[in-house]
Amino acid sequence: VSQSRYQVAEEIINGSEDVVKLIATVYEFKGNYFVIDEAQQGTKRPKAGIQSPSEIRALGAKLPIPVDTGLLGREARAALERFDIEPPAYDSWQPKELTKQMVGWLGARGFATIVKNSRMVKLRQMLQTGKIAVFPGDNHQAHPWYGLLEDKALMLEGTCRDEELGDVILQAFALS
């Protein structure tokens, strides 16, 4: 991945003017990829104005490993396009319900199992530029916390082919 991709991703992390974004998450767990749709917390505010933090909304796709990169990219792009079409079923102050929802989608015993045994990639597409940033997640491997490795974000043009997006998602998993 070229250094310019890291520089562009850094703009997104460090306060780019393009604050409105589409967000999706992909988990790798128990031999599958799970594409998770997201939406802004609270009332539906479709893709306009000041953006609230996002919350999980729906299971968009479950794909077996190994996966065709075109299919993975297509499902991830579809999840980005579905961002904020409906509000989340639960609010951020309902962590028990949100956790139960995620556990059910992934077929885990509990959220601690997901944290310990999964890998995660977060996608953010900037509406103004169309660029897609792909952030690898860390589940206590590189750091003693569960979160994004923002310094390793990969960047793509929003017009990229589905195969390219799927390939970059797999590259991000390799970094986590």
Side-chain angles (χ1 to χ4, degrees):
V1 175
S2 71
Q3 182 64 26
S4 63
R5 284 188 179 177
Y6 288 106
Q7 292 167 348
V8 176
E10 199 169 288
E11 292 173 18
I12 291 173
I13 298 163
N14 296 325
S16 164
E17 294 297 316
D18 195 356
V19 295
V20 179
K21 51 195 159 294
L22 310 177
I23 302 169
T25 305
V26 180
Y27 281 90
E28 178 191 65
F29 183 70
K30 292 173 83 175
N32 294 288
Y33 291 112
F34 297 86
V35 181
I36 307 295
D37 295 358
E38 297 195 24
Q40 294 179 68
Q41 294 173 353
T43 308
K44 182 177 166 185
R45 288 173 293 281
K47 304 171 190 160
I50 296 173
Q51 193 157 356
S52 298
S54 67
E55 205 62 76
I56 60 172
R57 189 186 64 74
L59 174 61
K62 177 182 176 183
L63 306 170
I65 297 173
V67 68
D68 174 73
T69 57
L71 178 60
L72 179 58
R74 187 168 35 261
E75 292 294 344
R77 187 182 311 274
L80 289 169
E81 291 169 359
R82 289 188 301 261
F83 178 77
D84 218 17
I85 61 170
E86 293 178 16
Y90 303 104
D91 289 307
S92 59
W93 59 83
Q94 296 176 291
K96 183 178 177 183
E97 290 83 357
L98 287 165
T99 300
K100 185 176 179 181
Q101 186 178 46
M102 178 67 80
V103 165
W105 292 337
L106 274 60
R109 289 180 176 226
F111 194 70
T113 304
I114 295 171
V115 170
K116 184 178 178 183
N117 299 309
S118 74
R119 295 191 298 169
M120 183 240 327
V121 168
K122 181 76 78 173
L123 291 88
R124 296 181 189 157
Q125 183 170 16
M126 307 286 115
L127 286 180
Q128 195 131 1
T129 63
K131 293 181 186 287
I132 300 172
V134 181
F135 297 89
D138 178 34
N139 61 344
H140 307 281
Q141 301 300 318
H143 303 289
W145 63 78
Y146 180 76
L148 300 179
L149 297 171
E150 293 183 335
D151 60 327
K152 295 185 178 183
L154 306 173
M155 183 64 63
L156 288 159
E157 293 295 328
T159 56
C160 68
R161 294 185 346 263
D162 291 338
E163 294 79 12
E164 291 174 288
L165 179 55
D167 187 53
V168 168
I169 290 169
L170 294 179
Q171 288 176 38
F173 275 118
L175 294 171
S176 62

